[in-house]
């Protein structure tokens, strides 16, 4: 069952002289208790898609159409007050720049206890017990003494865990994690992925994971959506995606993943287009080795490859 469905979301930015569209008919669904990874190169619209769900988009951005259905209700027609209740209580966010979500003036423990007070209505010893449990869950050692540290006394990986602990204490139904491991080294990346996986499995929380790193998610994610230049170009369950990727962009991303078989790595030629760049037809066509005439004229619509696998490419018959 889908807990969250984004349907035909269109968003753009107002520039001084023009309005430039950044998201084009973005649609995906997150199943209850599953992890969906949205993958794609920098600037393809991952963060804007995530922030639209929470309605935390920049002032110059505007959602022009679409629906975001959470538990059967459209979040785009909620009032700001209703959204404030949903943020944190129902849908928690681990933002792309985690350092901005810790206040340097308060201890990490005080910040965590505040969240526990608001979202779990606990105080005193009971709240502290919960805080220690949350630190234990994200594997912060010596949890009790660590609670009295200030953010600057934590390493990067430790700060990221503290933020995940805060998100955990919200008891939210959905956790949105925007590049939660990018600033961390490879061993810590794997630990954070394990923690997210445990949260999903133990608490039945649904996780929307945003990343540019397909290799990182392959072991953990249930479903994958690939974004390119503001569109979802392919989506499929994990196994189906890795065994039968059909979009040339997905195939190119997969070829650029390091394997341990010593194969030569391929990089994707060229750059994704800027918002100001006009490309007719499929936006991947200038970089696509299979490009034909129709690709330069028409925008490929989603085609069903199997019942739960869609891909937007004219190659698919
Ligand atoms: N405040 C803004 N004003 C104008 N354009 C913006 C703004 N924020 C983002 N954009 C543009 O919107 C598009 C999508 O940006 P978004 O941040 O969603 O990308 P992303 O996939 O999250 O990239 P990254 O992997 O670098 O985080 C990009 O072209 C970006 O330049
Ligand atoms: Mg981003």
């Amino acid at each position: 069952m889908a807990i969250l469905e984004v349907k035909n979301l269109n968003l753009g930015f107002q520039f001084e002289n023009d309005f430039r569209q950044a998201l084009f008919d973005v649609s995906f669904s997150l199943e209850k208790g599953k992890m969906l990874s949205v993958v794609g190169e920098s600037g393809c619209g991952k963060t804007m898609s995530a922030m639209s769900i929470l309605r935390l988009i920049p002032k110059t951005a505007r959602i022009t159409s679409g629906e975001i259905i959470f538990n059967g209700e459209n979040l785009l027609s909620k009032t700001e007050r209703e959204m404030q209740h949903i943020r944190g209580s129902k849908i928690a966010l681990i933002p792309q720049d985690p350092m901005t979500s810790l206040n340097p003036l308060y201890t990490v423990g005080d910040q965590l206890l505040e969240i526990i007070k608001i979202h779990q209505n606990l105080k005193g010893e009971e709240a502290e017990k919960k805080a220690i449990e949350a630190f234990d869950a994200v594997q912060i050692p010596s949890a009790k003494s660590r609670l009295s540290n200030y953010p600057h006394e934590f390493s990067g990986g430790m700060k990221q865990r503290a933020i995940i602990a805060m998100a955990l204490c919200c008891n939210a139904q959905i956790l949105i994690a925007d590049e939660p491991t990018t600033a961390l080294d490879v061993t810590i990346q794997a630990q954070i992925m394990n923690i997210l996986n445990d949260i999903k499995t133990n608490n039945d929380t649904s996780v929307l994971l945003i990343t540019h790193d397909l290799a990182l998610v392959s072991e953990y994610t249930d479903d994958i959506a690939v974004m390119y230049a503001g569109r979802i170009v392919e989506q499929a369950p994990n196994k189906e995606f890795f065994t039968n990727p059909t979009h040339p962009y997905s195939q190119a991303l997969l070829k650029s993943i390091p394997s341990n078989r010593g194969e030569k790595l391929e990089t994707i030629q060229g750059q994704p287009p800027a918002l100001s760049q006009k490309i007719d037809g499929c936006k991947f066509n200038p970089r696509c080795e299979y490009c034909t005439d129709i690709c330069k004229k028409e925008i490929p619509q989603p085609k069903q490859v199997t019942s739960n696998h869609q891909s937007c490419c004219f190659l698919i018959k």
Side-chain angles (χ1 to χ4, degrees):
M1 192 190 78
I3 185 164
L4 181 82
E5 272 183 282
V6 175
K7 293 185 181 171
N8 298 98
L9 182 69
N10 288 280
L11 171 147
F13 290 94
Q14 188 62 54
F15 286 83
E16 210 166 307
N17 298 318
D18 58 349
F19 183 78
R20 292 181 201 152
Q21 198 167 342
L23 298 181
F24 300 81
D25 281 328
V26 168
S27 300
F28 56 80
S29 73
L30 174 63
E31 299 290 309
K32 188 164 178 345
K34 303 270 176 177
M35 184 185 290
L36 167 69
S37 298
V38 177
V39 188
E41 283 164 292
S42 184
C44 69
K46 304 180 297 293
T47 296
M48 284 308 130
S49 302
M51 292 315 234
S52 298
I53 295 167
L54 289 164
R55 299 239 314 264
L56 290 174
I57 56 175
K59 278 207 172 65
T60 53
R62 186 155 46 89
I63 294 172
T64 49
S65 63
E67 284 182 319
I68 296 174
I69 310 292
F70 169 60
N71 282 338
E73 293 182 57
N74 187 3
L75 295 185
L76 296 183
S77 45
K78 297 266 174 215
T79 62
E80 178 52 30
R81 222 190 134 97
E82 288 169 323
M83 281 312 294
Q84 279 170 9
H85 173 68
I86 287 168
R87 290 181 203 126
S89 305
K90 309 262 194 243
I91 306 178
L93 173 71
I94 302 171
Q96 182 158 6
D97 180 5
M99 305 322 158
T100 56
S101 53
L102 286 171
N103 187 330
L105 302 178
Y106 295 92
T107 66
V108 179
D110 281 345
Q111 298 179 59
L112 189 57
L113 289 170
E114 179 69 18
I115 288 173
I116 293 170
K117 193 169 129 195
I118 297 171
H119 293 288
Q120 303 190 26
N121 201 19
L122 295 175
K123 281 191 286 196
E125 270 178 34
E126 269 186 310
E128 191 177 319
K129 197 166 150 258
K130 281 281 168 202
I132 294 171
E133 274 174 27
F135 266 23
D136 284 342
V138 297
Q139 294 158 28
I140 293 181
S142 339
K144 198 168 158 57
S145 64
R146 278 294 189 173
L147 287 172
S148 54
N149 283 166
Y150 284 87
H152 73 265
E153 296 172 279
F154 274 28
S155 68
M158 209 87 95
K159 278 186 199 141
Q160 190 59 289
R161 282 168 216 219
I163 287 157
I164 296 177
M166 288 180 183
L168 267 180
C169 288
C170 295
N171 283 345
Q173 295 169 14
I174 297 177
L175 188 58
I176 300 179
D178 191 353
E179 307 264 11
T181 65
T182 306
L184 308 173
D185 70 48
V186 176
T187 40
I188 301 178
Q189 282 185 354
Q191 290 168 12
I192 299 280
M193 285 307 297
N194 279 320
I195 291 166
L196 290 176
N197 196 50
D198 287 349
I199 294 170
K200 184 196 88 170
T201 319
N202 302 339
N203 307 2
D204 207 23
T205 308
S206 313
V207 181
L208 178 63
L209 181 74
I210 291 186
T211 179
H212 59 270
D213 190 345
L214 201 48
L216 182 78
V217 300
S218 60
E219 259 185 69
Y220 302 93
T221 199
D222 298 290
D223 298 293
I224 293 194
V226 177
M227 267 191 110
Y228 187 79
R231 278 179 202 279
I232 302 278
V233 294
E234 181 158 16
Q235 49 190 316
N238 184 326
K239 190 158 173 267
E240 167 79 14
F241 180 82
F242 284 98
T243 51
N244 184 27
T246 57
H247 197 285
Y249 179 60
S250 309
Q251 293 169 355
L253 277 180
L254 284 164
K255 279 189 202 149
S256 63
I257 291 184
S259 75
N260 45 21
R261 276 171 282 148
E263 289 160 20
K264 192 171 156 287
L265 279 190
E266 291 181 35
T267 49
I268 310 174
Q269 294 298 314
Q271 296 288 324
L275 290 188
S276 53
Q277 211 173 325
K278 195 169 167 350
I279 297 172
D280 288 329
C282 171
K283 289 207 173 173
F284 188 58
N285 85 57
R287 302 172 80 187
C288 182
E289 58 179 308
Y290 306 104
C291 177
T292 59
D293 282 349
I294 188 167
C295 308
K296 295 180 189 166
K297 287 187 198 129
E298 286 177 36
I299 296 166
Q301 297 304 312
K303 281 189 195 141
Q304 294 296 138
V305 181
T306 62
S307 64
N308 49 10
H309 182 178
Q310 291 110 38
S311 185
C312 301
C313 178
F314 291 112
L315 281 179
I316 297 149
K317 296 294 166 218

